[in-house]
Amino acid sequence: MSTTGATADPLAALGALPTVAESVESMRKAVDRVYGHRVMRRRSNEITAEAALRGARGSAALSGADWALEEVRRRTDFSGDAEARTMGAALRLSAEAGQLLSIWRQSPLRVLARLHLVAAASDGDEVGRPRQQGEPVDEPLVELPLPSAAEVSGRLEGLSELIIAGGSAPALVTAAVVHGELLALRPFASHNGLVARTAERIVLIGSGLDPKSVCPAEVGHADLGRAAYLAALDGYVSGTPEGMAAWIAHCGRAVELGARESTAVCEALQRGAA
């Protein structure tokens, strides 16, 4: 994993970059706006449920299953073709995210293994563990060079140590680095994008930035488009301060758009109650 220099808290160094600080401030305003909405005081559970559904739809869209929201809402069987299975995996992960917060703080690698198990929903030998050398990876939408199994193992350990140690970096920075690192590594045989975006959500919830999980970054990532997503990821993989700042800013914009989506849901509920 790349950082901007040797420091006891390398993620804090990223958070100090001016463009990142601006992204953090803009994102916080959007998050505060939805949490301050009057509907959130009375119907926050409904907003959380709707955010989970919309977040799953957005994450699945980035993994090739770009369905209309009403189609996701209507369906009950997700065991059909590849797109249906992708959507089902995204929905299962969205439901699982909030259940793993306490484990995440102590053992992030256990949580990642659990997320892959939930996404894959099979008992294959490759499920729920990092891939071994020579095993293929089914992640066609991310075409970056694939790190070796040994590199994956070392970088996952480093990521885990950073998460367990905590630090002073803004939640957005930590969430973006977790997300970017998992996409770059593709540590599992499948469903890496879905797992990476779910891990980002877990960080945002667990940090206290979005404790009710009503600011689904997955919505924003989908709205910004796959091309912009992959271009920003290239910046992360470059390891340069500018590239990593661009990736973090992209993730911040995604959270903003997710917050705006839930604000719009609040407004719609308020109009319906008027």
Side-chain angles (χ1 to χ4, degrees):
M1 180 176 53
S2 301
T3 65
T4 55
T7 171
D9 190 356
L11 299 190
L14 289 172
L17 294 171
T19 54
V20 172
E22 291 173 7
S23 298
V24 168
E25 182 62 23
S26 180
M27 178 205 64
R28 281 178 175 162
K29 288 179 180 177
V31 172
D32 288 346
R33 194 171 299 117
V34 65
Y35 272 89
H37 199 284
R38 61 188 300 179
V39 170
M40 279 292 293
R41 293 195 291 271
R42 306 190 312 272
R43 304 174 70 174
S44 64
N45 288 343
E46 292 176 63
I47 308 302
T48 296
E50 187 66 18
L53 182 70
R54 295 181 184 222
R57 192 214 72 81
S59 190
L62 288 169
S63 287
D66 193 359
W67 290 11
L69 183 62
E70 289 311 311
E71 176 66 9
V72 181
R73 207 187 299 278
R74 181 187 67 81
R75 281 283 191 106
T76 56
D77 182 5
F78 296 94
S79 61
D81 60 17
E83 285 194 10
R85 293 194 296 274
T86 296
M87 185 61 70
L91 288 166
R92 291 192 298 274
L93 287 172
S94 189
E96 189 81 3
Q99 311 303 314
L100 298 170
L101 297 176
S102 61
I103 304 173
W104 174 261
R105 299 183 188 102
Q106 300 169 12
S107 182
L109 299 186
R110 279 181 58 201
V111 170
L112 293 175
R114 171 63 184 170
L115 292 177
H116 187 245
L117 186 66
V118 169
S122 77
D123 56 1
D125 178 62
E126 78 285 358
V127 173
R129 61 159 175 79
R131 57 184 168 83
Q132 298 172 359
Q133 192 61 33
E135 288 184 326
V137 174
D138 180 14
E139 199 68 46
L141 300 178
V142 179
E143 298 179 350
L144 295 167
L146 196 65
S148 69
E151 183 178 353
V152 167
S153 178
R155 286 171 63 175
L156 282 178
E157 285 294 338
L159 184 64
S160 176
E161 289 169 6
L162 277 173
I163 294 165
I164 293 170
S168 60
L172 171 62
V173 173
T174 304
V177 167
V178 167
H179 184 170
E181 193 72 354
L182 293 175
L183 279 181
L185 293 177
R186 282 145 292 158
F188 301 108
S190 63
H191 301 92
N192 290 287
L194 295 176
V195 168
R197 290 184 288 275
T198 304
E200 178 186 45
R201 176 179 280 222
I202 288 173
V203 174
L204 295 172
I205 298 170
S207 67
L209 176 71
D210 182 21
K212 294 183 182 295
S213 191
V214 296
C215 303
E218 305 97 321
V219 169
H221 286 304
D223 285 351
L224 291 167
R226 193 179 303 160
Y229 184 66
L230 295 177
L233 177 63
D234 284 342
Y236 177 84
V237 172
S238 76
T240 66
E242 297 80 11
M244 297 188 76
W247 167 251
I248 294 166
H250 185 88
C251 291
R253 179 62 177 158
V255 177
E256 279 189 58
L257 291 173
R260 290 184 184 183
E261 182 96 349
S262 287
T263 300
V265 172
C266 287
E267 294 289 342
L269 288 174
Q270 184 169 278
R271 287 194 299 272

